[in-house]
Amino acid sequence: MWRLAGPGQPVAMSTHHILVPTPPVAAAGTGPVAYHRLATTWPGARRWKPLLGLLIGAACYVALSLGVLVLLVIGALVQGTEPDWLSLDADRWDLQDPAVVAFMLAGIGLLLPATWLGFRAVGCHPSGLLWSVAGRLRVALLVRGLAVALPVFGVVFVADHLLRGGGAVVPSGGLLLALVWVLLVPVQAAAEEYVFRGALAQVIGAWLRHPAWAILLPVPLFTVGHDYNAMGLVEVALFGVAAGWLTWRTGGLEAAIAMHIANNLLLGVLGAAGWYDVNATNAELLDLVVGLIPVAVFVVWIEAQFRRAAHPTSRKVARIGR
């Protein structure tokens, strides 16, 4: 639009009236948008877009997985062997085998690029909104979370092992197995959080405003992906609730990723040292309590940190006035 410059206004030419561009409408203010509602801030946002992005991401994951699987099958045929990690029989998957662990963790890690591609395809902008309200991965927060979560989970798990009278017996290949856990668990944990506490939460948040829906509804999907007995699944579900709450409370995935890395990494490394049976699928009440103690301590620490300091937990979006 254009308007006429009236008398008395400075003009660039010596004419009484000229056309000058109308300034943009001033923003009437800014409004905070919580993490689970960030899909509503996309350019041209529509409720169905995050869901479509999730479906496209699922298709990308299948394509990537099949591509990797084909390459592995070709490699196995060339070698004339059939490694355990090419078997669809879950009973043959030994998590004390470095190749099996690498195959499993890397396979889960493919969820991250696949989901990113799906959301990018439907207009998620900036693409870092799946990481946090800052539109990026807040590395400093992730590092601080790891600096607390690793010692907390480590002390609890080691104390549990020692109090039960266990001894350390390093199995053959333990160092290689531990290295695989160290290198790939961060990718696996980040991928799971990216999907379950990130993409799914924002799909739900595009339709339902209250954060409880975004925290709780992804939990069953997260839980059924684990092969445990009832007590073990309860522990996984409560872990998922805690991770969802951390994501909403902090406005991003960093704290949940730190907690997830600490839990899986220490169980994997201690399992490689013979302190834990990483193939176990049956949990007891004591296992549930031990597993939830470090989760509770970490959640309380995060709450204290965010109460003490003014960390941004929502994204400010301009609301245009008339």
Side-chain angles (χ1 to χ4, degrees):
M1 294 178 60
W2 296 79
R3 64 180 175 82
L4 291 175
Q9 290 183 290
V11 293
M13 299 175 59
S14 58
T15 60
H16 189 66
H17 294 90
I18 64 168
L19 291 175
V20 297
T22 302
V25 179
T30 58
V33 178
Y35 174 83
H36 69 293
R37 297 279 292 168
L38 288 180
T40 64
T41 69
W42 297 358
R46 296 292 185 274
R47 286 183 170 182
W48 52 266
K49 284 188 175 182
L51 180 57
L52 177 60
L54 191 65
L55 295 176
I56 295 174
C60 291
Y61 179 70
V62 171
L64 288 172
S65 299
L66 288 176
V68 172
L69 189 59
V70 167
L71 293 176
L72 292 175
V73 169
I74 293 174
L77 291 176
V78 170
Q79 295 177 357
T81 61
E82 183 188 351
D84 287 344
W85 40 262
L86 287 179
S87 171
L88 297 179
D89 183 2
D91 292 335
R92 293 178 60 189
W93 282 43
D94 181 8
L95 296 183
Q96 289 287 0
D97 183 341
V100 171
V101 174
F103 180 76
M104 179 190 70
L105 296 180
I108 295 173
L110 291 177
L111 286 169
L112 205 161
T115 305
W116 181 88
L117 286 170
F119 271 66
R120 197 74 180 91
V122 296
C124 177
H125 182 78
S127 57
L129 287 179
L130 276 178
W131 289 118
S132 76
V133 293
R136 57 180 173 79
L137 180 68
R138 297 169 295 184
V139 177
L141 178 57
L142 175 61
V143 171
R144 288 200 304 272
L146 285 171
V148 173
L150 287 171
V152 168
F153 278 79
V155 167
V156 173
F157 290 165
V158 170
D160 170 58
H161 173 74
L162 295 177
L163 289 174
R164 295 194 197 196
V169 179
V170 180
S172 176
L175 290 178
L176 176 59
L177 180 61
L179 181 62
V180 171
W181 284 103
V182 169
L183 292 178
L184 292 181
V185 159
V187 178
Q188 169 261 325
E192 289 192 23
E193 295 306 316
Y194 199 75
V195 172
F196 291 102
R197 258 63 69 176
L200 278 173
Q202 293 194 16
V203 167
I204 295 166
W207 295 85
L208 302 172
R209 184 178 298 273
H210 199 281
W213 299 113
I215 293 172
L216 297 176
L217 289 183
V219 170
L221 289 175
F222 176 67
T223 303
V224 298
H226 295 78
D227 183 23
Y228 298 122
N229 66 348
M231 191 66 69
L233 292 178
V234 169
E235 180 182 347
V236 172
L238 293 176
F239 184 95
V241 172
W245 184 89
L246 285 171
T247 300
W248 170 78
R249 181 68 180 89
T250 64
L253 300 176
E254 298 87 358
I257 291 173
M259 182 175 71
H260 206 147
I261 290 174
N263 182 80
N264 291 13
L265 178 60
L266 286 164
L267 286 177
V269 170
L270 292 175
W275 285 29
Y276 278 96
D277 181 6
V278 290
N279 290 308
T281 58
N282 293 324
E284 301 176 353
L285 180 59
L286 179 59
D287 300 314
L288 173 65
V289 173
V290 170
L292 293 180
I293 287 175
V295 171
V297 171
F298 185 71
V299 166
V300 170
W301 178 80
I302 286 290
E303 176 63 26
Q305 293 298 305
F306 275 73
R307 281 182 179 273
R308 185 179 304 121
H311 298 289
T313 60
S314 59
R315 186 173 180 85
K316 291 186 178 181
V317 178
R319 303 186 184 278
I320 303 300
R322 291 178 177 236

